[in-house]
Amino acid sequence: MNEKFIGRWGGLGEKIPVWEINKDSIFYFERSTYYHYKLNNNNMEIDFPEGKGTLKNIRVIKDTLFFLDEGGEIVYAYRFKSKVN
């Protein structure tokens, strides 16, 4: 299932991605840091130094990633197709 998530993702109109999701880690461009994650059903549990973060009910439809944040709000991210230096 996580093959769908692999790639670079960001907000609509962003010039650089927010995340790059790899097979077992997620890179946050703003922090320039990789974090390990695990998939548990449709939830992505990310191991931050300050504790676990969860992207709930994560899904990919075409080139759009959807999930519920910790507050229950729907978050959308769009696949970046171009390379970032």
Side-chain angles (χ1 to χ4, degrees):
M1 180 166 122
N2 70 338
E3 293 292 320
K4 293 179 186 179
F5 306 134
I6 292 175
R8 293 176 176 203
W9 301 90
L12 192 59
E14 301 255 350
K15 292 186 180 187
I16 64 166
V18 174
W19 315 290
E20 180 174 12
I21 301 175
N22 300 295
K23 185 176 178 180
D24 62 358
S25 65
I26 182 168
F27 181 78
Y28 278 72
F29 282 85
E30 186 176 282
R31 299 179 182 187
S32 296
T33 305
Y34 285 94
Y35 300 100
H36 178 74
Y37 74 83
K38 292 180 186 174
L39 291 176
N40 182 5
N41 294 319
N42 289 332
N43 300 321
M44 180 183 284
E45 297 173 353
I46 305 168
D47 294 323
F48 294 112
E50 61 273 12
K52 287 207 184 292
T54 304
L55 309 182
K56 299 175 184 175
N57 202 23
I58 189 169
R59 304 245 191 261
V60 174
I61 299 174
K62 296 187 181 182
D63 284 335
T64 306
L65 181 140
F66 305 85
F67 62 89
L68 298 175
D69 67 10
E70 304 261 344
E73 297 290 321
I74 297 174
V75 176
Y76 303 91
Y78 304 95
R79 189 180 301 275
F80 272 70
K81 297 192 182 205
S82 62
K83 295 287 182 190
V84 176
N85 295 333

